[in-house]
Structure formats: C-alpha cells, structure tokens
Amino acid sequence: MRGLFLSLLLAVLFQMAGATVTPRPESLVPLARARLYEAAASPVLPLDYVNRRVNSDNTTQVQNEEMACISPLDSQNFVAAWRDFRLGYRRIGVGYTTDGGQVWHDTLLPQMFYPWQSDPVMVVNHEGVFTTMIVTFDPAPGGEDGLLQVSSNDGGVTWHDSVFAADSVQPLGFEDKEMLAVDADPTSPYLGTYYTAWAHFYGPNPYDSTHIWLVYKRPGEPYSTPRVLSQTSGNQWANVCTGPDGEVYVSWLSYALSGLMFSRSTDGGQTFADQQFVTSTNFVAAEIAPRNMTPEFDIFAYGAMAVDLSNGPHRGRLYMVFTDADAAFTRTDIYSMYSDDHGANWSPRRRLNDDNTAFPVDHLHPWISVDEEGRAWVVFYDRRNDPNNILMDVYFTLSTDGGATWRANERLSTISSNPAAGSSLDAGLIGEYIGWQARHGKALCTWTDTRLGNQDVFATYIDTIQFPTAVSGHSSFILPPSSFNSFPNPTNGSAMLRYVLDSPQDVRIRLYNVLGQIAAEVNLGRLAAGEHTYALDLNRYASGLYFAELTSQTHHTFTKVMLLK
C-alpha cells in the first residue's frame, strides 16, 4: 500500500470536504495502567510451536503483509503470499509446502502488466485452487493500476490465469486495500464465485473520494462491472466474506463517521442493502510507537470477518474482530462481535486478549477463521511480553461455543520481534494483516518476524489443540504430556529427554533450531509402554534455544532445550 502518503491524503481530502477526521495520536501508549479481564472458559497448558522461516532470500529488505491458506484436498499443502521488497521495490512473494510446513519453497510472483505489485490477499476454493489478488501499478506519476487475480492449480508451485478484477476504473484513480473471498460452501447456489471489495481513491472530483467498490466473478465468466457500496465518502479497509446460502458480507472503516460500516447481499452480490453503522471506534487509523521511537507503524480499526459454514448449532453466524483503543489512547485491544441475522444486529463487543499487565500494551492486526466444525480462531500481534511496549509476538485464541467463551491466549512466536528492526523502508512498517486459516481443528499462521535482524516471513502450524468431545468430555487431540521434558535445562553440552508412552508405539525425535530448521533427527522404532529416556548430544551445536519434538501414534509434542556453553 502507499502507506502514510495515502493516509495523509485522506485526511486532507476529508478536511476539504468538511468531514470529521479521527486524529492520529502521537502515541497510543503514554500511560501505564492495569486492567482486569474476564477469565477464559478454561486454562490450557503452555505449548511451544516450531517457527519456520518461509522466505529464502538473503537480502535485508522487508517482507510483510502475509496471507496463507490450507488446501481442502491435502492437509499438508499450505500456500502463503506476502509483500516482498527483495529486489528493492514492491513485488509479491509466494511460498508453498507439501509436508505440513516443515520445508517451504518460495519465489516471486511473475511480473505481469504493471511493474510493481503490492497488497496480496489469498483464498483457496473447494477444488483446491489457490488464488491471490494483488494491486499492480506503474509507480510513475499518473501511472495506471489495477487489481489482478492470479491462480495456482498445482498447490502454489506455478501461478497463471491472471485476470483483472478492476483495471484503471477511472482516470486519476487508485485501487487500494482490496480483500478477496470465494464461495466454497457446497450447498451455496453461487459456489465458486469470487468477490473482491476495495477502496477506490478519488472520484469524479476530489471531494467524492475513497468509496468502497465491489466486483464478483462467477465460474467461467468475467468479472462484473464495479459497483459502489458506500453511500458516504471517506472510507477504507473493506473486508468481504460469504455465508452458507450465497450471502455476501462487506465491512469497512469510515473516517467520516469514525467507525465500522457494513452492507449485505442475499443474491450473490447482485444487489446490496444500504450501508449501516455497526459500531464506533475510538480511532480509525493511527501510527503507534513509544514516544521518540521511529519508524512508527500503521494500525487500523478495520473489521476482519468470517462465517460459520459448519452443520453445527451456529451455522450462518457471522463474526467480526477488530482493534480499538481505550478512550485515553493508552492501549489497543482486540474485540469480537457476532450476528445471527445477516449483520442486522450484533452482539456486544467482547475483549479477546487476556493479558492483565501493570503496563500499557498494544494489540493489533487481528484476523479470524472458522473451521469446518464451527470453531472460531483469532490471531493477532501482541506486545504483552515487553514492559516498554515495543517488542511484539503473535498470539491466538479460539472459541468452540459460537463466541460465548474463548480459550486462554497462546503464544505462537517463540522469540519476540522488534518491529523497527532492519530496513528503514517504511511501507506501513510491518504491513496491515496476518496470514491465518483454520481447517478441521488445526490452523496455519504466517507473520512478519525480525528475529534475524530484518523482516522475514515466519510460519507455524497448530496441530495439538485440545477439544472436548461431545460424549465423554475428554480430549480428542492430545496435549503434550507434562512428563516430556529435558534435563538438565539449561545444559552445557548434553541433555536427557524423558517421556512416557501409554502403549507400544513407533517413536521419532527431532531437534529444531529457532528458525524451524531440523538440526537432528532419530527414529527410535517401536518402544514399549512406560517411561523412556533418550540422550541428546549437543556438543557440536552453537549455544541458543532449541526445540525437541516427539512424534508417535498418539503424541505430537515439543519441549524447550536451552544450550549454554
């Protein structure tokens, strides 16, 4: 995205039009205060997830603004896309894995039409076709731009079938901050239809700028003529998703009205209801950072949406998650709401981040996905581990009861990141969203990480979440047993891994470094039930944090190993 320039342009245009502009506070973190939080439904054991670097370039340029999807046909096939500056200007990086995220392969999306690419979003349809929508443009003054759809039929290996969703809609215009959805519900009359919503900058005159536009594409047909959804100007950050009966839902931010807006279609995008106001927010757009720290990064109060398409009790429930600041602008938090009547009415907002620190904390860039069983999964950036509110991590939570209660937050990133690390190139600094998709009780996350000193794309796969079964109340996924541990820990050269098997099983142990690379692997064969130990020789490894993974028929678990020589 064109970052701060467009944000400042918006402010100028809205002021010229006489609209109210939400201020961009110098900092959202000037004061410290503690807050109480309503306890989550049930505590969960802490778990470390192996983090793997996705991009393979050796440049110091930035990679950010990720999207990621899991194939519905192959649970081990993941594909990710991100904004990539490895060539020194905006391109799109794409990566894929066919082994559940253990090894990633990455490249740049082919250059098509205009020289620059930005703002990738991604979906996968019911046939396993991965599709990304990008902004492609000529950076020269007055250069053309468009929204380009590019697809992969082979699990992310090759990309082709490019088609413009919108190409230079109007002179002097610019298409920005687009989002993409595909109707993948097998019972929908519009199965396979793609929907793209975005902010169209400018208009017939400079006072009618930044409306929300939408197009759709039925299978085998071209994209429809763009239509305007917003009735008032001064909008940005559209989000779009589909319901079980062909409904299309679009949300966006209104700078002029200082809050979240919404519209719906019940006929596959052919007609839309008038816009409605969903909720006010204490900010719309801001640049957050502790005082005197540069560069700052952009944050928006946009609403990310997802629909329950399961056959469970909450089928059709529409969820929205968003960031909002407290009234004093001391911190930002993540909130959720839901609607059971196509967005006409919404539940009260509920805070999802469960930290209760004595210092102010920012939480930002939430995303939501609902899996096939109706579980709602939410991910976000979080700074709770740093009293200075600079370093950030990635956390997630989920609800198994339609958003009534949410699990205790779990940390996905194993090392905190400084968002200002690396290249001085701003471009929103870390981008404006996170890659996130859940399927069948598991989830894939991709995010911006600076543990190596520069921005990189990292990923992790969540496959060890505990869910109660309807019959017994016991777990249908097994959490790591507390008996799996390493001692001594820290160690200066060797460690003993201790674990317990509840039945005879084949056992494999792997050791990973902090990049998610396999440092050692041993197949122990079939072992009897009971307690076992394995001597791990670390003498040839460098000091640092490692993760030992134990895999058997009923266990998949990790434990930390700290090597200090």
Side-chain angles (χ1 to χ4, degrees):
M1 301 173 188
R2 293 191 177 179
L4 183 58
F5 169 75
L6 287 178
S7 298
L8 293 176
L9 177 61
L10 278 172
V12 172
L13 291 175
F14 299 158
Q15 287 174 334
M16 292 173 63
T20 301
V21 181
T22 301
R24 303 171 70 91
E26 176 187 357
S27 172
L28 289 177
V29 290
L31 301 174
R33 72 172 190 172
R35 296 183 63 173
L36 297 177
Y37 175 67
E38 186 177 2
S42 60
V44 294
L45 296 177
L47 180 64
D48 288 313
Y49 298 94
V50 171
N51 298 174
R52 292 177 172 86
R53 185 178 183 230
V54 176
N55 60 294
S56 61
D57 67 288
N58 294 318
T59 70
T60 60
Q61 296 287 355
V62 301
Q63 281 96 12
N64 55 40
E65 212 154 81
E66 298 82 9
M67 279 279 171
C69 291
I70 304 170
S71 172
L73 308 181
D74 180 358
S75 63
Q76 301 297 297
N77 181 201
F78 312 154
V79 177
W82 60 90
R83 190 170 56 177
D84 194 304
F85 289 76
R86 70 180 67 178
L87 299 182
Y89 61 96
R90 295 169 185 258
R91 291 288 296 272
I92 301 302
V94 287
Y96 71 92
T97 175
T98 57
D99 58 7
Q102 296 184 51
V103 178
W104 285 86
H105 311 273
D106 78 298
T107 187
L108 292 177
L109 202 66
Q111 184 173 337
M112 306 173 186
F113 302 101
Y114 308 125
W116 284 22
Q117 304 168 341
S118 194
D119 302 16
V121 292
M122 179 179 289
V123 295
V124 58
N125 71 6
H126 62 291
E127 297 177 327
V129 177
F130 292 88
T131 296
T132 181
M133 185 72 69
I134 66 173
V135 177
T136 179
F137 61 98
D138 183 345
E144 294 185 325
D145 76 286
L147 301 179
L148 186 67
Q149 173 183 310
V150 189
S151 296
S152 174
N153 293 315
D154 55 9
V157 179
T158 59
W159 295 84
H160 48 82
D161 294 342
S162 61
V163 57
F164 273 109
D167 184 16
S168 297
V169 176
Q170 289 182 347
L172 301 178
F174 188 82
E175 323 313 323
D176 191 51
K177 292 180 168 63
E178 86 289 0
M179 280 294 156
L180 178 67
V182 62
D183 194 328
D185 189 277
T187 65
S188 170
Y190 304 104
L191 177 67
T193 298
Y194 291 94
Y195 300 91
T196 300
W198 74 97
H200 174 70
F201 282 83
Y202 300 99
N205 62 70
Y207 304 108
D208 186 27
S209 61
T210 59
H211 276 286
I212 300 303
W213 293 48
L214 179 134
V215 292
Y216 62 82
K217 183 183 185 303
R218 310 278 190 234
E221 298 180 6
Y223 267 99
S224 64
T225 301
R227 63 177 302 131
V228 181
L229 300 187
S230 52
Q231 280 94 51
T232 53
S233 63
N235 308 284
Q236 206 173 15
W237 253 111
N239 200 277
V240 59
C241 63
T242 61
D245 299 310
E247 306 96 335
V248 184
Y249 301 119
V250 182
S251 69
W252 65 89
L253 272 174
S254 170
Y255 287 78
L257 301 178
S258 299
L260 285 161
M261 309 298 292
F262 178 82
S263 184
R264 78 184 67 81
S265 170
T266 56
D267 56 9
Q270 299 174 74
T271 61
F272 276 84
D274 288 344
Q275 69 177 29
Q276 70 179 72
F277 188 82
V278 176
T279 184
S280 61
T281 54
N282 288 322
F283 82 105
V284 174
E287 293 174 337
I288 62 172
R291 295 183 187 278
N292 302 320
M293 171 186 163
T294 56
E296 298 175 322
F297 60 87
D298 297 338
I299 180 173
F300 296 82
Y302 63 77
M305 298 188 299
V307 179
D308 186 340
L309 300 179
S310 73
N311 293 318
H314 304 296
R315 177 175 170 83
R317 176 164 288 183
L318 170 63
Y319 295 88
M320 183 184 294
V321 295
F322 58 98
T323 305
D324 200 6
D326 63 345
F329 291 102
T330 60
R331 59 178 290 146
T332 56
D333 294 296
I334 307 300
Y335 295 93
S336 70
M337 302 186 301
Y338 61 81
S339 173
D340 289 323
D341 56 7
H342 308 298
N345 296 281
W346 294 84
S347 68
R349 63 171 64 186
R350 182 183 184 92
R351 182 178 172 226
L352 297 187
N353 51 287
D354 61 5
D355 54 291
N356 186 24
T357 62
F359 49 87
V361 173
D362 283 323
H363 312 82
L364 54 142
H365 295 5
W367 210 256
I368 184 169
S369 179
V370 181
D371 67 19
E372 292 82 352
E373 290 74 33
R375 308 179 187 99
W377 302 66
V378 175
V379 70
F380 48 90
Y381 288 113
D382 189 302
R383 292 166 134 181
R384 72 182 68 182
N385 297 314
D386 182 9
N388 295 315
N389 198 33
I390 297 175
L391 303 181
M392 64 184 186
D393 283 285
V394 179
Y395 278 78
F396 83 99
T397 183
L398 65 92
S399 175
T400 60
D401 56 9
T405 60
W406 294 81
R407 291 169 62 97
N409 300 171
E410 291 189 55
R411 182 180 176 183
L412 291 177
S413 52
T414 55
I415 295 178
S416 299
S417 287
N418 183 344
S423 173
S424 61
L425 183 64
D426 184 9
L429 196 59
I430 64 167
E432 293 154 4
Y433 42 83
I434 282 180
W436 184 242
Q437 188 177 38
R439 285 196 180 278
H440 298 297
K442 302 179 181 182
L444 168 67
C445 183
T446 54
W447 70 92
T448 302
D449 197 291
T450 64
R451 70 183 64 185
L452 299 179
N454 302 286
Q455 284 191 17
D456 290 297
V457 179
F458 270 69
T460 195
Y461 185 49
I462 306 166
D463 65 353
T464 51
I465 295 298
Q466 181 185 43
F467 299 117
T469 62
V471 177
S472 65
H474 292 114
S475 167
S476 58
F477 288 77
I478 296 178
L479 280 172
S482 58
S483 58
F484 181 60
N485 53 57
S486 172
F487 65 95
N489 202 7
T491 179
N492 62 5
S494 62
M496 192 69 69
L497 298 178
R498 179 169 54 198
Y499 54 97
V500 177
L501 300 178
D502 52 12
S503 62
Q505 297 181 50
D506 294 322
V507 175
R508 183 190 69 195
I509 290 178
R510 278 178 172 167
L511 185 70
Y512 297 90
N513 61 22
V514 294
L515 301 183
Q517 299 166 331
I518 299 175
E521 179 175 5
V522 59
N523 291 308
L524 299 179
R526 193 163 187 83
L527 302 178
E531 182 173 321
H532 298 268
T533 58
Y534 176 75
L536 190 62
D537 184 2
L538 301 172
N539 286 293
R540 68 181 186 275
Y541 299 111
S543 295
L545 178 65
Y546 295 84
F547 298 89
E549 175 193 48
L550 184 146
T551 304
S552 70
Q553 281 88 342
T554 61
H555 291 72
H556 180 213
T557 180
F558 296 90
T559 189
K560 287 182 179 179
V561 180
M562 180 61 73
L563 177 60
L564 298 176
K565 291 186 176 180

